[in-house]
Amino acid sequence: AAYLSAIWKHKQSDVMRFLFRTRGWQYRQESAINRVSRPTRPEKARMLGYKAKQGYVVYRVRVCKGGRKRSLVKGMVHGKPRNQGVSEQKSFRSLQTVAEMRAGRRLGSLRVLNSYWVNSDGSYHWYEVILVDPNHAAIRNDPAIQWIAGSVHRHRELRGLTSSGRKGRGFRYHHHGANHVIGGSRRAAWRRNQTTIM
């Protein structure tokens, strides 16, 4: 695992550049959400909770690079000039979180555990998403992962509860200004600070 991690950290080496180029050609021929038989990065997948046993599946998801664009009829915004922007919109969620959400929507009966980056080219990013079957006996009987079978974890990727989702919500920020997310979100912190209890 240490050797694999070291190789993946040097992404501009000749070996990795060759792998990215050849794999990128292969990935472009596949569908946007494609099941893979085994993780492309087994050491990374195991760090994030993957086990090579029944109940675990891995899907590779393709996401377009760049900013987002508003869906408007003929590109017209009927409002003030400050809101006229169409093509340079910044997403509130990272592309990795978007990949998790797309996989979770497509495979509604599975639970999204985690995800990791595998490749990118001029147009796309590819992420591999680890999903777990909450109804499988191997998952329900495993004390290490049976927590994900609880109903409270349905579509956890859509509510920002995965690792990349929590990162986007600011929970890894522990410096000056981190008190803005105390209470679960910026909105919860703002509401608490604005509320006066008499």
Side-chain angles (χ1 to χ4, degrees), residues 7-196:
I7 292 173
W8 273 89
K9 283 179 181 176
H10 295 84
K11 293 181 175 61
Q12 289 189 327
S13 64
D14 292 342
V15 174
M16 294 307 295
R17 288 173 67 180
F18 174 76
L19 279 177
F20 290 148
R21 191 167 68 248
T22 54
R23 284 175 177 169
W25 178 87
Q26 175 195 345
Y27 296 167
R28 280 191 294 273
Q29 317 308 315
E30 299 171 347
S31 57
I33 301 176
N34 185 58
R35 183 173 178 178
V36 295
S37 58
R38 60 178 60 88
T40 306
R41 303 176 63 180
E43 90 294 348
K44 186 69 171 177
R46 283 185 60 82
M47 284 183 206
L48 299 176
Y50 173 80
K51 300 289 184 183
K53 68 180 208 176
Q54 291 182 338
Y56 289 84
V57 291
V58 178
Y59 276 78
R60 189 183 302 120
V61 183
R62 184 181 69 211
V63 186
C64 283
K65 295 173 77 170
R68 304 295 95 184
K69 188 176 180 181
R70 277 187 186 164
S71 58
L72 299 166
V73 178
K74 297 183 180 179
M76 292 185 297
V77 181
H78 302 289
K80 296 184 178 180
R82 68 183 177 193
N83 296 323
Q84 293 289 323
V86 173
S87 62
E88 294 188 11
Q89 304 298 308
K90 278 65 177 178
S91 175
F92 289 108
R93 293 184 169 97
S94 67
L95 294 180
Q96 182 173 355
T97 305
V98 171
E100 292 178 350
M101 292 168 60
R102 290 180 183 175
R105 283 199 185 100
R106 173 72 64 87
L107 306 148
S109 62
L110 304 181
R111 303 279 163 83
V112 174
L113 179 62
N114 230 319
S115 64
Y116 53 92
W117 179 92
V118 287
N119 206 341
S120 64
D121 62 6
S123 301
Y124 305 107
H125 282 299
W126 283 273
Y127 297 95
E128 286 188 356
V129 183
I130 305 167
L131 299 110
V132 179
D133 183 359
N135 297 313
H136 200 288
I139 301 300
R140 286 182 170 270
N141 297 331
D142 186 352
I145 194 62
Q146 62 186 4
W147 57 268
I148 207 168
S151 60
V152 73
H153 293 292
R154 290 175 188 164
H155 287 296
R156 56 197 299 269
E157 73 284 350
L158 300 179
R159 295 176 287 136
L161 302 181
T162 59
S163 180
S164 68
R166 287 177 61 83
K167 181 179 179 181
R169 290 164 60 200
F171 283 105
R172 294 188 192 167
Y173 188 74
H174 298 295
H175 305 292
H176 176 71
N179 56 339
H180 294 308
V181 294
I182 293 175
S185 66
R186 293 183 182 275
R187 183 177 296 171
W190 178 86
R191 186 190 301 122
R192 187 185 65 253
N193 291 333
Q194 298 298 320
T195 302
T196 303

